[in-house]
Amino acid sequence: MVSLYEAGVLALLIGGIFFALVAVVGLLRLPDIYTRTHAASKTDTLGAGLTLAAAALVFGSGLPTIKTALLLAFLFITNPTAAHAIARAADDQGIEPWTADDGGEDR
């Protein structure tokens, strides 16, 4: 029998794994760097957040939980910032965003 506490941890872990897999699918399926960066930053941030929340629940109260919360805050700040920097660097390099007129084929 799974307790409510264990079910919560499992739900957070499954959610984290799901969003990490969505990030992988986005990286493989989307057509250009801008959309891939968008998909990876959004879903990876949420997936890592849910996984770290599960770890914080497992650790209970104390220093490891504080460290996990700080790591979560660091990820919430740096993932979108890194995605923006990658997209800006691609724009500076003259990489054009994909449009429906670019060949019209779906990957």
Side-chain angles (χ1 to χ4, degrees), residues 1-2 8 11-12 16 26 30-31 40 44-45 55 61 64 67 69 71 77 79 85-86 88-90:
M1 186 75 181
V2 177
L12 289 172
L30 294 176
D44 191 39
T45 301
S61 62
K67 288 180 180 179
L71 182 59
I77 293 169
N79 264 357
I86 291 169
R88 188 175 180 125

Side-chain angles (χ1 to χ4, degrees), residues 16-37:
I17 291 169
F18 170 76
F19 282 108
L21 289 175
V22 169
V24 169
V25 170
L27 283 175
L28 294 176
R29 294 282 301 159
L30 294 176
D32 68 350
I33 189 168
Y34 301 105
T35 54
R36 288 178 183 164
T37 303

Side-chain angles (χ1 to χ4, degrees), residues 49-89:
L50 290 174
T51 306
L52 286 173
L57 281 178
V58 169
F59 288 143
S61 62
L63 186 59
T65 301
I66 293 171
K67 288 180 180 179
T68 304
L70 289 174
L71 182 59
L72 183 62
F74 181 75
L75 280 175
F76 278 146
I77 293 169
T78 57
N79 264 357
T81 304
H84 178 77
I86 291 169
R88 188 175 180 125

